[in-house]
Amino acid sequence: MNTDKIYAEQLANEYAPKDTSKVVALRKLDARAKRPAMIFTYTLGVISALVLGVGMCLAMGQIGSGSTFSFVAGIVIGIIGIVGMSVNYPIYKRMLEQGKQKYAYEIMELAKEISEN
């Protein structure tokens, strides 16, 4: 196989004008179905990682008074961060499925119209 030819065809397809707006509409529907799950997942993941980091800093005495209370509070806060990160993926899967179910009919109809042409 000539990889240069494959690359050239792929690049040409990327720059070729789209002859139908249905493909663009299909991509937008797909993105609309997935966007809420992605935004929630990234937000919860970042917040949970920061909470875990604060808990670790408290437990190691980097912030706080370094007392036993700070140590225990750091462990509790760290566990909350770990729980947040642990539930992130199952929540993402559930939200993604809901988004796909919400737009499934429209996407399937548009995909069928595109494939028939």
Side-chain angles (χ1 to χ4, degrees):
M1 281 190 353
N2 188 356
T3 57
D4 292 337
K5 181 180 177 183
I6 295 170
Y7 177 72
E9 289 174 358
Q10 178 185 5
L11 200 57
N13 287 335
E14 185 177 328
Y15 283 94
K18 302 294 181 208
D19 56 348
T20 178
S21 63
K22 290 181 181 180
V23 174
V24 174
L26 185 63
R27 286 183 184 158
K28 286 182 181 180
L29 276 173
D30 182 49
R32 193 179 306 159
K34 295 176 182 177
R35 187 176 300 126
M38 294 294 287
I39 290 172
F40 179 81
T41 299
Y42 284 126
T43 303
L44 181 63
V46 167
I47 291 171
S48 297
L50 290 173
V51 168
L52 175 62
V54 168
M56 287 175 57
C57 288
L58 275 171
M60 292 187 296
Q62 298 300 314
I63 58 174
S65 62
S67 65
T68 305
F69 176 75
S70 293
F71 179 75
V72 172
I75 290 175
V76 170
I77 292 172
I79 289 173
I80 292 170
I82 290 171
V83 168
M85 286 187 285
S86 298
V87 300
N88 196 11
Y89 185 66
I91 292 173
Y92 165 74
K93 284 178 54 174
R94 186 175 308 131
M95 287 182 71
L96 186 62
E97 281 300 316
Q98 289 173 350
K100 286 182 177 182
Q101 287 177 357
K102 183 177 179 180
Y103 292 101
Y105 179 75
E106 296 174 48
I107 289 174
M108 292 301 292
E109 288 296 316
L110 196 55
K112 188 175 10 173
E113 288 177 23
I114 292 170
S115 64
E116 288 176 354
N117 290 343

